Amino acid sequence: MLFVTGKGGVGKTTFASALAQLSAASGKRTLVVEMDDKGALAHALHTEGVQFAEREIAPNLFAMAMNTEDSLREYIRLFVKNPLVSTFGPLAKILDFVANAAPGVKEILAVGKLCWEVRERNYDIVIVDAEATGHIVAQVDAPAILSNLVQVGVIRDQTRWMQDILHDQSATGVVVVTTPEEIPVLETIQLLDTLQSKTKVSVSAVVANRVHPDVVAGGDLAVFAGLVSSVESGMMASEPASVLRGPLRLLSIATQRRKREVGLLEQLATNAKQRGVLFMSILEIDEQEAGITSVMSSVLKDELS
Amino acid sequence: MNNLREVLQHGRLVVVCGSGGVGKTTMSASLGAFAAHAYQRRVLVLTVDPARRLADALGLESFGNAVVEVDQRLLMHNDMVPAGSMYAAMIDTKASWDELITRCAPNAEVCEKVLTNKLYKNLTERFVNSHDYIAMERLYEAQQSSKYDLVIVDTPPSRNALDVLDAPKRMKEFFASRLLRLLTSQAQSRLFSLAAKPFFIVADRILGARFLSDITEFFTLFRTMEEGFVARANEVEAVLKHQDTSFIVVTTLEPAPLRESDFLIDELRNRSFHLGSVIANRVTPAGLLRDVEDSLGSLQQAIQDPLFVQAVVGATESLEPSAEQVARVVNAVAQGSELAVKQGKVDLDRLHRLGQHCNEAGAQLYVCAVAETELKSASDLVAIGDSVEPA
């Protein structure tokens, strides 16, 4: 089971979808799960109506959207085994309670459903388009958090087998997606720290998405800088300078951004390496391009092979 | 007030919205620094996740929950220190909640009990969008203070950026809810309440009676603070709708932030908040793009000419580059420019569409050019704020 997380807007849904497509195409029975019912997953997979009940949207590729109420219903059916269930009436009221008041219960219902699919071996791999960086710890660590808070009860007993799955490095991992910008990178490093120091869930990979290509690379950078300064200082004769001035100024912006990016990517790579975590970067893909998910999927395939 | 400068000059509260990664925080700080300079205002900038670079530029060791004044000398612009002043603070949810509880608790005993409750930390992190609520709470407090003329707040990164505005209403609903009544009713009478019975059967079964009683204790304590919370929620709502409050949407011209800002523009209007301005950030200056487009043809021709390359080599002789190396760099510059010009046309189109949407919504569209140098000091912020101009 892979939890794909990242700061909002870095492309984690696209990445999770691409990974799921790749995995299904390689013959693995794959379940991809959207945790926040926003419909972004359906959009990324060019399909419609992804619901709680999983549906095969392509060969070997199953998709579902998490829904706490449905999950609670299923949970009660499977575990509480209370004959009164049918008389509970609308579960919505109980859900209110679950969602608002009892810490970690909403999370555990969602994570419990995921772990259940893993335990029953219904799929070869479960890929989760998970909560954003700020909430992912509460999500993957819900069983541990809850078992500390609750002394007895059905839920407490349930947390044990869930933790066994979540804490098994060969079964569960977190993939952190980021863009090469300051705040997302800092958040990623903080998250790696938190996951490592506060939880027993391991990190599988750090992915830098939307990395820009070099405008000029290596030793050519010095020449580029030399050109810029000789145009600005008036050292260059007016004929080449006049056609180069605008383009150089424009590309200086991109070069500077790229320089910042390279620094951040190095910081990320070092951090991942120290922790023995896979690090990869994906060049920017035009969002307007049809099928960004498929494009990313083929990029991933090349990158991973 | 639809004019951004007018808002910065006379407004009392500015709420900055937009999707993550568009430079909201830097924009908030820039507008604040500019208002302190141009309009002698005492400005407080409240932020949620400031970049290291921004904290450095403001000369702050780090942003904290407490308000700090930015050193006037760091805000030099055109050789002048600002006549106004600038303050900054970060909203730390946990610390702000502790302060709020301390203030609203009816007595020291309740306060102590709540703060040490095992569930307190967990609950304040999760229920009724507590981050959002606390942001609104801090905003109100700052806005009421006579220490500042203008408060600029950059909204927390909610899944839905507008959750934050609903937070006071949610808090009121929470206190009025059946859920809270059920939880805080006497344990004894619970057993006999037919309506509550299925609810407690499930809750007891799933959570265990002990957990339920822990939760109940917490909410019973929490309920004693109802009056304070509800009154405050009402006041916050009134401030947000006040005529001296203006909303600003910040976006870049990339597809995802644009979709988000289109949504924000409509939603703010639906909820009758006052949307004053929309700022398109990191826009490549149109003049520069025109320059580049004009020289692109000649540049592409010139590259073929060995004499041109020779002249360029001559101008960088201290580096002693080979003709081949120079040709490669100039080629890359030409190719990069061609791409940038293409992108510039796409962006111009998007800007135009955004402008139309602003028109329909009665808001004014502004642009802020992409930075050509690194943000180094607070005075750069003043310059950025000054550079925001009508599209």
Side-chain angles (χ1 to χ4, degrees):
Chain A
M1 174 158 54
L2 286 175
F3 287 86
V4 179
T5 183
K7 192 176 163 66
V10 299
K12 82 188 152 62
T13 302
T14 311
F15 183 82
S17 308
L19 198 60
Q21 271 188 356
L22 179 64
S23 146
S26 72
K28 284 196 166 68
R29 196 176 151 86
T30 306
L31 174 67
V32 56
V33 188
E34 174 169 52
M35 293 303 267
D36 66 358
D37 218 5
K38 269 206 320 195
L41 181 70
H43 186 255
L45 289 167
H46 294 289
T47 180
E48 277 165 21
V50 173
Q51 289 163 344
F52 184 74
E54 53 264 48
R55 192 167 59 87
E56 188 167 12
I57 57 168
N60 277 324
L61 182 55
F62 296 77
M64 69 165 280
M66 189 54 71
N67 173 311
T68 324
E69 188 173 340
D70 286 328
S71 178
L72 178 63
R73 213 175 278 279
E74 188 170 296
Y75 176 85
I76 291 173
R77 187 170 55 77
L78 287 169
F79 295 111
V80 182
K81 298 192 182 77
N82 188 321
L84 285 174
V85 164
S86 57
T87 68
F88 284 161
L91 277 167
K93 269 181 211 150
I94 297 160
L95 189 73
D96 253 2
F97 166 79
V98 164
N100 281 328
V105 172
K106 190 173 179 181
E107 284 85 354
I108 206 151
L109 283 168
V111 172
K113 162 74 178 166
L114 300 172
C115 290
W116 173 257
E117 298 297 335
V118 174
R119 187 171 90 161
E120 298 299 302
R121 299 188 181 276
N122 289 336
Y123 298 93
D124 296 323
I125 186 168
V126 176
I127 294 170
V128 189
D129 178 13
E131 286 273 7
T133 334
H135 298 287
I136 185 70
V137 174
Q139 190 164 67
V140 295
D141 212 30
I145 295 170
L146 203 69
S147 75
N148 281 331
L149 279 173
V150 188
Q151 307 310 319
V152 287
V154 183
I155 279 215
R156 157 104 211 202
D157 301 337
Q158 296 294 339
T159 58
R160 287 206 192 99
W161 65 266
M162 292 183 198
Q163 290 186 68
D164 286 345
I165 290 173
L166 290 166
H167 296 168
D168 177 358
Q169 196 175 351
S170 66
T172 301
V174 175
V175 177
V176 192
V177 182
T178 181
T179 51
E181 294 161 295
E182 191 190 5
I183 297 182
V185 166
L186 286 183
E187 261 189 29
T188 300
I189 292 173
Q190 270 166 13
L191 177 63
L192 295 180
D193 275 341
T194 313
L195 283 170
Q196 208 164 45
S197 63
K198 300 229 169 94
T199 78
K200 290 179 183 158
V201 183
S202 28
V203 179
S204 301
V206 172
V207 180
N209 190 19
R210 298 205 199 116
V211 173
H212 294 92
D214 277 320
V215 182
V216 280
D220 289 355
L221 267 171
V223 177
F224 179 84
L227 290 182
V228 172
S229 71
S230 88
V231 167
E232 272 170 12
S233 64
M235 253 174 62
M236 193 183 284
S238 70
E239 199 259 318
S242 66
V243 290
L244 277 172
R245 182 171 289 113
L248 283 174
R249 196 179 137 208
L250 182 63
L251 289 186
S252 291
I253 300 171
T255 309
Q256 264 186 42
R257 179 183 62 190
R258 178 64 189 146
K259 191 175 143 201
R260 232 176 7 244
E261 252 185 47
V262 170
L264 288 167
L265 289 171
E266 267 168 22
Q267 203 184 340
L268 260 185
T270 315
N271 222 286
K273 203 174 162 192
Q274 280 166 357
R275 299 165 203 271
V277 170
L278 173 72
F279 174 74
M280 67 162 87
S281 48
I282 299 178
L283 281 184
E284 183 164 59
I285 300 167
D286 189 352
E287 262 191 79
Q288 297 300 82
E289 197 170 341
I292 177 174
T293 309
S294 322
V295 176
M296 191 183 279
S297 178
S298 72
V299 169
L300 260 180
K301 188 177 176 186
D302 294 345
E303 195 71 34
L304 289 170
S305 60
Chain B
M1 285 188 287
N2 280 13
N3 184 306
L4 181 62
R5 298 209 165 196
E6 214 174 291
V7 167
L8 295 176
Q9 191 169 6
H10 302 294
R12 293 268 295 133
L13 176 63
V14 171
V15 183
V16 182
C17 311
S19 74
V22 298
K24 242 183 338 171
T25 308
T26 305
M27 182 58 71
S28 305
S30 300
L31 295 176
F34 175 68
H37 246 283
Y39 307 118
Q40 303 88 44
R41 306 205 78 193
R42 296 168 303 160
V43 188
L44 169 65
V45 178
L46 274 176
T47 180
V48 268
D49 55 354
R52 181 73 253 169
R53 216 154 21 103
L54 184 60
D56 285 346
L58 291 172
L60 305 177
E61 192 59 27
S62 63
F63 279 89
N65 209 38
V67 175
V68 273
E69 182 170 1
V70 178
D71 191 332
Q72 294 263 325
R73 284 164 301 179
L74 289 172
L75 289 166
M76 288 278 277
H77 183 57
N78 297 336
D79 291 327
M80 290 199 320
V81 293
S85 42
M86 181 179 174
Y87 302 81
M90 190 181 89
I91 299 167
D92 172 336
T93 307
K94 175 75 173 76
S96 298
W97 265 109
D98 291 354
E99 280 174 26
L100 183 65
I101 297 289
T102 309
R103 201 178 54 237
C104 288
N107 57 52
E109 192 197 349
V110 171
C111 178
E112 175 67 19
K113 267 189 176 164
V114 172
L115 293 181
T116 56
N117 187 291
K118 193 162 76 168
L119 298 174
Y120 167 68
K121 189 175 165 284
N122 258 290
L123 283 164
T124 50
E125 273 171 10
R126 265 167 233 160
F127 89 121
V128 284
N129 297 67
S130 88
H131 294 271
D132 297 338
Y133 182 78
I134 220 69
M136 290 296 103
E137 168 68 26
R138 286 293 303 272
L139 167 162
Y140 176 80
E141 198 189 330
Q143 208 263 352
Q144 291 299 303
S145 162
S146 57
K147 275 172 78 180
Y148 320 110
D149 308 316
L150 171 67
V151 177
I152 300 179
V153 60
D154 109 68
T155 53
S158 300
R159 189 178 300 163
N160 176 341
L162 290 173
D163 279 355
V164 61
L165 303 175
D166 290 334
K169 200 175 89 200
R170 292 238 182 84
M171 182 58 85
K172 280 194 292 183
E173 284 168 1
F174 175 73
F175 274 111
S177 69
R178 196 175 125 87
L179 161 68
L180 196 63
R181 279 208 311 278
L182 278 175
L183 279 175
T184 55
S185 62
Q186 287 299 308
Q188 205 58 20
S189 65
R190 244 193 243 154
L191 291 172
F192 302 104
S193 158
L194 267 179
K197 207 168 174 192
F199 170 84
F200 278 102
I201 289 172
V202 176
D204 276 0
R205 271 292 185 117
I206 298 178
L207 303 171
R210 173 68 198 283
F211 188 34
L212 202 58
S213 69
D214 281 356
I215 293 175
T216 304
E217 186 197 305
F218 175 74
F219 280 108
T220 308
L221 288 169
F222 200 69
R223 214 175 171 184
T224 63
M225 295 182 277
E226 173 169 2
E227 214 174 300
F229 271 85
V230 170
R232 181 54 69 90
N234 282 329
E235 288 160 352
V236 173
E237 275 187 320
V239 163
L240 288 174
K241 296 254 162 110
H242 193 273
Q243 56 175 10
D244 289 342
T245 297
S246 185
F247 284 74
I248 293 179
V249 172
V250 181
T251 183
T252 60
L253 294 175
E254 290 152 315
L258 274 177
R259 272 197 300 275
E260 180 81 3
S261 50
D262 279 335
F263 167 79
L264 285 170
I265 291 168
D266 291 338
E267 272 303 293
L268 285 168
R269 202 174 167 209
N270 287 344
R271 294 166 195 231
S272 23
F273 288 112
H274 188 106
L275 172 64
S277 338
V278 175
I279 302 176
N281 198 15
R282 299 190 192 135
V283 176
T284 310
L288 177 55
L289 277 171
R290 264 197 308 277
D291 272 4
V292 173
E293 200 178 358
D294 289 347
S295 31
L296 196 56
S298 348
L299 178 60
Q300 277 160 342
Q301 259 184 0
I303 298 170
Q304 316 298 327
D305 181 1
L307 286 176
F308 175 86
V309 175
Q310 214 43 60
V312 178
V313 173
T316 49
E317 57 191 341
S318 61
L319 290 164
E320 295 178 356
S322 64
E324 192 191 335
Q325 203 176 12
V326 167
R328 193 167 59 226
V329 171
V330 175
N331 248 310
V333 169
Q335 272 173 22
S337 301
E338 200 182 341
L339 280 177
V341 166
K342 247 190 226 161
Q343 185 60 48
K345 288 194 170 137
V346 173
D347 286 353
L348 206 63
D349 225 40
R350 290 174 179 166
L351 192 66
H352 183 69
R353 244 178 298 146
L354 183 61
Q356 280 175 335
H357 194 182
C358 288
N359 257 339
E360 288 159 22
Q364 173 80 47
L365 178 62
Y366 291 82
V367 290
C368 181
V370 61
E372 293 192 40
T373 53
E374 288 272 347
L375 176 64
K376 283 194 196 72
S377 72
S379 62
D380 295 341
L381 294 175
V382 186
I384 295 172
D386 195 11
S387 76
V388 177
E389 54 178 15

